[in-house]
Every structure is written in structure tokens, then in C-alpha cells.
Amino acid sequence: MTEPGPGTAETRDQPAITERAAPAAPAAARRTSLLVTLVLGGLTAVPPLSMDMYLPALPQVTAALHSPAATVQLTLTTCLAGMALGQMIVGPMSDKWGRRRPLLAGMVIYIVATALCALATNAEILIAFRLLQGLAGAAGIVIARAVVRDLYDGVAMARFFSTLMLISGVAPVVAPLIGGQILRITDWRGVFVVLTVVGVALTLLVWRTLKETLPPERRHPGGLAAALRTMRDLLADRVFSGYLLVGAFAFAALFAYISASPFVVQEIYGASPQTFSLLFGLNSVGLVAVGQINGKLLVGRVGLDTVLGTGLAVIALAAGALLAMSSGVFGHVGLVPMAAGLFVLMSAMGLVMPSTNTLALLRTPHAAGSASALLGTSTFLLGSVASPLVGIAGERTAVPMALVQLSCAVLALVSFLGLCRPWQRRGERTASGERTRL
């Protein structure tokens, strides 16, 4: 089957591929072992491990390096910025040279950068190495998504993304706990030593178990100019851009929760750190559980666009309820109603995230690396914008958090309805002659 390129009339008005698997993809998918699945999940977990395992060590770093807290916090910002920029670099590279070589190169650089972080003697050096760590660590997450697109199609791809969520969704929960335990037996440098060991183990597993998934005949020749043209063409596809924005705004709502919840739950509602950790864990479990329900029960029975639209509507309703409660519409409310609203919002992400990735990548079998880079970079950028907005009115009100979440949810719905327009594609024939199922 020959896929039309993005930007053509055909791809702008209908999906390039249906939700049924293309003939070649299921055969490749059946050869995917449990170990490879775990490796891909581990690669997607590298960013949250690199960010969150380090969080409990921030006060120690501030004291040890004799630097202001604001300077040390730049080690988080630069790592996040590196992950956003790195995806834009590695994604097109993987379309040109295949998946294995850029991934292995990125992981080796990640190992070196992480080890150098453990040896940093001042905050400025640590900031520089954290930037390099983020740039290299981006290879794991962007190429993992591209590999999934190489191996899977349609319903099978949606199910696999839900499986990856089971692995990568646990990482943000356990990472701070692991970091805290490391600090009980060593100092902050030990966190980077453990991350270095994790990087070495993942690199060896990639080298031994992950075969090349992009054959030479499907690679893109050309240099930077060709890569930029590919990304321009991808963004010219209205539907792809719609799913990209849906995923980015949904992630921004999630990041608003991550940034603001420690202050909202503990400072405003008086919960203990242990209660906050429990609630944070429950919300993460809800996200992972709904993701698994989506992958095991809904995908294949309910159309992906229907699942995505439902998830976005639930997020918008939950965010609206949180805004009403935090602004005093229902009078003073306690922790339990707010926690319930946050749980519903977080759980609905389990419907949105796998569906968004699948529907976007369905349109881009010809440039999965570049498409994955655009998806990843957009989520990191909007997430980094949402983070400071939640504290714009101080730490004593939850209104900014809820307002950011509701705004992001509404913008995601507008992108879905205005750009993706799933009802226009229902039943239309694609290039393969099949009919779409929404």
C-alpha cells in the first residue's frame, strides 16, 4: 500500500490509514517479545526517572554546591528543555538512519552525561550536564514511539500504547520514592550513579534485544533541509496537527496538576506529606488502570476518536468542577471533594494519551520519527508553559491550577472538534479501500 504524504488533499481530508491493521504490521507485532515491550517501556520511563528521582535531592544539592535554590532549580528546567529539543533532533535522524543507531548513540551519551552530573563541582557545571542528559535522554522516548509505529498499526498500536502506559506511568510514582531511599544511604551524587546504572542496563538490553524496525527502503534521505520539509508537511496535515494540539494541551493540564498539587493538597487543605504521597499514588494508579481498561476492553470495540472525545469531555467536566469548588461556588469544600475531582481528571488521561498518540501516528507511517518528535516536543513545551502559570496567584489558592486545567481542556476539545473533525471522516474510504471506524 502506498501512503500519501501529509499535506496532500487526501491526507488532509481523511486518515492515511484505517484503525484496522495493515497486512505487514501485525506479523511484526506478533514477533515482539515481552522483553522488547519492557525495553520500550523502560525507554519511555527515562525522562520521568531523570526528572523525578532527583527531586528529593534538591535541598542537598543546594547546600553541597553552595548555590541559591533558584539556580539549582535550573537543573530541572534545563533537563526538561533538553528533552524537548532533543526529540526534534533525534526524531528526523531516526527516519534517515534507522532506529537502532541514533538510539544507541543517544543512550551512550546519556550514560556519560549522567555520570558527569555525579562528578559536578558547581551548579553551573551540573546545569550544563543536565542539559546534555536531557538532550540524549530524549532519544529513548521519541524512538520508542517510532518503533511502536513501525511494528504496529490501528487497534494493535492503541493497545500497545496502553501497555506502555502501564510501565511508564509507574515511573513518576516510584521515582521520588527511589530517590528518597537512595538519599538514606548516600548523598545526591548517588542518585546520578543509580541513573547511570539504569542507563547502562537499558543500553545493553537495547543492543541485545531491539532489532532494527525501519528497513532501508523506508528511510528518508537528505539532511536538515529535508527534515524541516518533512516536519512542515506533517504540520500542514490539519488532522495530524489537531491530534498534536489535543495531546499537548491534555499534557499541559496534567503538568499543571503535577506542579500545583503539592501546594494545593498540603498547604491549602492541610494534608500531611504522607497523605499527599498516597493521593498522588492513587491518581497515578487511576491513570494507569483506565489506560489498561482502554487497551483491553474499549480498543477494537469503541472507535478511537469516540474514546478520545469522551476522555476530553470528562477532563473538561472535572476541571470545571475543580474550578467551581476552589473558587467557592459551593462554599468551603474539604480535601475529599477536591481529591475526587483530581482523581477523575487524572484517570481520564488514560483514555486521552494512548488514543492521541495512536491517531496522530496512524497518519504518518512514512515519517514516524519526525512525527514522534513533534508530538513529544509539543507536550514538553506546553507543559513547561503551564507549570509557572499555576502559581501566578500564590500558593494559597487552587484557582490558578483549576483555571489552567480547564483552559487546557477546552483548548484540547476545540482542537479536536475544529481540526480533527472525526465526523467528516466516518465511513470514508482510505487509500487501502477500507472504511474508517470511528
Side-chain angles (χ1 to χ4, degrees):
M1 180 177 67
T2 301
E3 297 294 341
T8 64
E10 188 170 6
T11 51
R12 284 195 300 266
D13 297 331
Q14 62 185 47
I17 236 175
T18 66
E19 293 181 22
R20 293 194 180 99
R30 283 194 292 270
R31 293 194 296 270
T32 304
S33 66
L34 175 61
L35 182 57
V36 171
T37 301
L38 293 175
V39 169
L40 293 174
L43 291 172
T44 63
V46 166
L49 285 176
S50 300
M51 296 291 294
D52 298 343
M53 193 184 295
Y54 172 67
L55 291 177
L58 283 176
Q60 273 197 21
V61 176
T62 301
L65 299 183
H66 308 289
S67 297
T71 301
V72 173
Q73 285 174 341
L74 287 176
T75 62
L76 296 175
T77 305
T78 53
C79 186
L80 184 64
M83 289 176 184
L85 179 61
Q87 294 186 66
M88 295 295 289
I89 297 171
V90 177
M93 288 173 58
S94 73
D95 283 337
K96 180 179 180 180
W97 291 313
R99 311 304 184 201
R100 269 179 62 87
R101 284 190 291 172
L103 177 56
L104 287 169
M107 291 304 296
V108 169
I109 296 172
Y110 174 85
I111 293 168
V112 174
T114 305
L116 290 174
C117 285
L119 301 175
T121 55
N122 58 58
E124 290 73 21
I125 292 176
L126 182 59
I127 289 170
F129 288 146
R130 284 284 280 176
L131 175 63
L132 181 60
Q133 184 192 39
L135 285 167
I141 188 169
V142 70
I143 292 181
R145 274 196 303 260
V147 167
V148 173
R149 182 63 189 94
D150 294 339
L151 296 179
Y152 288 87
D153 209 345
V155 168
M157 181 165 53
R159 286 175 175 157
F160 197 87
F161 273 127
S162 294
T163 301
L164 287 188
M165 182 174 288
L166 178 62
I167 303 170
S168 61
V170 173
V173 181
V174 302
L177 301 177
I178 295 173
Q181 294 305 309
I182 293 171
L183 293 177
R184 295 182 65 178
I185 59 176
T186 184
D187 62 5
W188 64 272
R189 299 180 190 274
V191 175
F192 290 108
V193 172
V194 172
L195 286 172
T196 302
V197 173
V198 170
V200 170
L202 264 178
T203 302
L204 290 174
L205 286 171
V206 167
W207 179 64
R208 292 180 60 88
T209 65
L210 190 61
K211 307 301 181 184
E212 181 58 63
T213 59
L214 187 67
E217 62 271 15
R218 290 175 53 197
R219 296 177 190 175
H220 284 203
L224 177 61
L228 292 175
R229 282 195 300 271
T230 298
M231 290 188 175
R232 179 199 62 192
D233 291 342
L234 289 169
L235 293 174
D237 179 357
R238 169 178 53 79
V239 181
F240 173 81
S241 294
Y243 289 125
L244 179 146
L245 289 173
V246 169
F249 283 124
F251 185 82
L254 172 63
F255 213 80
Y257 158 77
I258 293 173
S259 301
S261 59
F263 302 102
V264 170
V265 174
Q266 295 179 86
E267 300 296 330
I268 299 175
Y269 291 95
S272 66
Q274 292 74 26
T275 300
F276 165 72
S277 299
L278 175 62
L279 292 176
F280 192 91
L282 284 174
N283 289 340
S284 299
V285 168
L287 186 153
V288 172
V290 172
Q292 297 313 293
I293 293 171
N294 178 36
K296 304 298 183 185
L297 299 179
L298 299 181
V299 172
R301 295 179 175 88
V302 181
L304 295 178
D305 276 308
T306 302
V307 172
L308 176 56
T310 301
L312 291 174
V314 172
I315 291 172
L317 289 173
L322 287 168
L323 180 59
M325 287 187 287
S326 61
S327 59
V329 172
F330 303 120
H332 177 72
V333 298
L335 176 61
V336 173
M338 287 293 293
L342 289 170
F343 178 80
V344 172
L345 186 146
M346 282 288 290
S347 298
M349 294 289 179
L351 299 177
V352 172
M353 291 181 174
S355 301
T356 302
N357 284 331
T358 301
L359 287 163
L361 291 174
L362 273 174
R363 304 185 65 81
T364 61
H366 52 286
S370 297
S372 178
L374 288 170
L375 290 170
T377 300
S378 63
T379 56
F380 275 94
L381 288 178
L382 278 183
S384 64
V385 170
S387 179
L389 292 178
V390 299
I392 199 169
E395 300 174 2
R396 296 296 176 180
T397 174
V399 170
M401 179 194 73
L403 186 59
V404 170
Q405 289 173 328
L406 180 58
S407 300
C408 290
V410 170
L411 288 170
L413 275 170
V414 169
S415 300
F416 179 63
L417 298 175
L419 295 176
C420 303
R421 303 176 193 173
W423 63 88
Q424 290 185 350
R425 309 195 312 276
R426 183 178 289 112
E428 290 184 0
R429 291 192 178 275
T430 65
S432 64
E434 294 177 321
R435 288 185 178 275
T436 60
R437 286 173 58 252
L438 301 173

